[in-house]
Amino acid sequence: MLIRYIGLAIASMAGGAVIAGGYFAFISLIGVFPKLIEKVKGNRHYMLVESCLTYGAVIANAIYIFNIEIPVTLVGLAILTLFGGIFVGCLIGALAEVLNVFPIISRRFYVRRGFPYVIMAVGIGKVIGSFIGLLAYGL
Amino acid sequence: MADLIYLKLSESVLAESRKITIKDVSKVVCDNPEMKYGTEKIELMNFSGTKQQQVISILDIIEEIKKEYPKAEITNLGQPEVIVYYKEFDTADRMKQTVKLIFICLVAFLGAGFSIISYNSDVNLVGQLDLMQDLFVGESETGSTIAGLAYSIGLFIGIVIFFNHGTNKKFSDDPTPLQVQMRQYEQEVNQTIITDAERKKDIRDAD
């Protein structure tokens, strides 16, 4: 019986390590945090930010897997989801940028000026779409 | 014989004062120490008003040196253009920087947590761990505590290996992935500023 548990543990641990590698490669290659850290002068705080990423993921993962209940009240939940939303928003924007969506559209339609308005439109569209989507889920 | 001056222009520099001399943007090597000193002292530009960045071309720098030493032969071994950033320091700035850093850390901490949970629920990870429990141990056992624990530890190990550090101490001298990304981003920004300045003719160049 013990050997089976050991096999299970090794398989799960290896799975966790591979998923972490892939997941964080995605987050760091998509370049959200380089741009955010750039906003802080001197930009020598990258290790601190990386540590925050590490422990955020590890703790949240444990909370999810083991169903740990943490009473943070409604306000706390709002703050948590606000920052989650900011992160996902950055991720979506960065994904569009990495895939060169805007430069390609700009060249196809010969639009050079007024591109900030296009980006604004994308942002507003995303917010409205997210609201409608959540309303449809009955939130 | 003409004196040789070797320059090595930096990619971008952050100026400490409004007056920019050649010493700020480039390393200078010259056989004649007096000439080296004189070259370093040559004033290139003065930041005025609210202007915070300026692209200076090597041709402008050569011109300025030629005014001082008409016979000098100049060789540049560095970049063809340099970007000079100027920013006034004030005490409120430190405070603002700290607040920004805390904000970024919060986004990193809670955002990474948020997205790993969304990943886990997207792929139904708990269900998968239950399935693995069934396959490895048998259906009679309940719960998947060991698999969950091992998965959580494995996740931590994977991230630490990827980022090359767990706390503020690195395991080896290699730069971390974020560091590499940041330098790449910096180079792309510099290149964009130079190209933009050339298009707008907002570059200090030879006439």
Side-chain angles (χ1 to χ4, degrees):
Chain A
M1 208 47 156
L2 183 68
I3 192 87
R4 292 183 165 187
Y5 271 116
I6 290 172
L8 175 66
I10 289 173
S12 324
M13 199 185 279
V18 169
I19 287 172
Y23 199 72
F24 279 85
F26 173 70
I27 284 179
S28 67
L29 286 185
I30 209 153
V32 174
F33 284 101
K35 292 182 182 66
L36 286 179
I37 299 170
E38 195 79 1
K39 303 272 178 282
V40 179
K41 200 167 24 191
N43 57 42
R44 58 203 137 69
H45 301 288
Y46 52 89
M47 280 175 95
L48 180 63
V49 174
E50 281 176 339
S51 298
C52 285
L53 281 170
T54 307
Y55 293 108
V58 169
I59 292 169
N61 179 59
I63 289 171
Y64 179 76
I65 298 271
F66 299 114
N67 271 322
I68 302 168
E69 281 180 24
I70 301 169
V72 288
T73 72
L74 218 57
V75 179
L77 182 70
I79 294 171
L80 290 181
T81 43
L82 172 69
F83 280 102
I86 291 173
F87 184 76
V88 173
C90 290
L91 215 61
I92 294 167
L95 194 65
E97 196 197 301
V98 166
L99 298 176
N100 278 337
V101 174
F102 294 121
I104 290 171
I105 291 177
S106 142
R107 282 193 99 84
R108 287 283 174 283
F109 292 99
Y110 301 101
V111 182
R112 280 286 157 79
R113 268 181 221 168
F115 225 68
Y117 298 108
V118 177
I119 291 169
M120 277 283 273
V122 170
I124 294 168
K126 245 169 217 166
V127 171
I128 294 173
S130 170
F131 258 118
I132 292 173
L134 287 176
L135 280 177
Y137 277 120
L139 203 76
Chain B
M1 188 194 118
D3 279 301
L4 270 167
I5 298 177
Y6 290 101
L7 297 177
K8 185 163 173 261
L9 224 58
S10 311
E11 210 168 283
S12 62
V13 290
L14 184 68
E16 286 158 359
S17 64
R18 285 184 176 272
K19 205 171 84 175
I20 309 298
T21 60
I22 290 186
K23 195 180 193 326
D24 291 326
V25 298
S26 171
K27 285 205 175 80
V28 181
V29 170
C30 182
D31 281 341
N32 185 346
E34 214 172 279
M35 207 162 148
K36 172 180 174 350
Y37 187 72
T39 310
E40 282 179 344
K41 283 283 157 230
I42 293 173
E43 193 181 321
L44 287 175
M45 64 167 298
N46 235 320
F47 275 101
S48 56
T50 55
K51 207 164 166 57
Q52 283 191 337
Q53 67 190 37
Q54 175 70 51
V55 182
I56 301 175
S57 153
I58 181 68
L59 291 176
D60 182 55
I61 294 172
I62 290 176
E63 266 193 348
E64 294 288 334
I65 297 174
K66 288 273 184 198
K67 271 183 211 160
E68 197 85 6
Y69 305 105
K71 277 191 193 155
E73 262 182 52
I74 302 153
T75 309
N76 178 30
L77 301 169
Q79 307 291 327
E81 291 102 3
V82 61
I83 307 169
V84 185
Y85 296 100
Y86 172 73
K87 204 157 184 228
E88 251 172 303
F89 284 92
D90 53 10
T91 41
D93 222 39
R94 267 187 87 83
M95 190 69 199
K96 238 191 326 192
Q97 295 293 323
T98 314
V99 171
K100 271 190 206 163
L101 184 64
I102 292 171
F103 176 78
I104 292 171
C105 284
L106 272 176
V107 173
F109 185 74
L110 299 173
F114 190 92
S115 57
I116 201 81
I117 288 180
S118 64
Y119 173 79
N120 283 350
S121 56
D122 193 27
V123 301
N124 187 18
L125 200 95
V126 173
Q128 189 196 334
L129 291 180
D130 278 338
L131 178 75
M132 281 171 77
Q133 171 98 12
D134 292 348
L135 293 175
F136 276 86
V137 186
E139 286 195 56
S140 55
E141 310 292 325
T142 50
S144 55
T145 321
I146 288 182
L149 205 63
Y151 173 76
S152 303
I153 294 170
L155 195 83
F156 178 65
I157 293 171
I159 302 167
V160 167
I161 291 171
F162 184 77
F163 280 147
N164 197 20
H165 67 95
T167 54
N168 270 0
K169 192 132 183 73
K170 272 192 254 185
F171 297 136
S172 66
D173 274 342
D174 273 0
T176 69
L178 261 192
Q179 208 176 349
V180 174
Q181 285 293 313
M182 271 168 56
R183 295 295 166 259
Q184 261 179 24
Y185 177 61
E186 206 176 281
Q187 277 175 8
E188 279 169 22
V189 167
N190 284 344
Q191 197 50 54
T192 309
I193 289 173
I194 289 172
T195 313
D196 255 20
E198 271 172 359
R199 280 197 193 161
K200 284 187 205 149
K201 306 259 182 267
D202 183 26
I203 181 169
R204 286 184 76 91
D205 212 334
D207 302 319

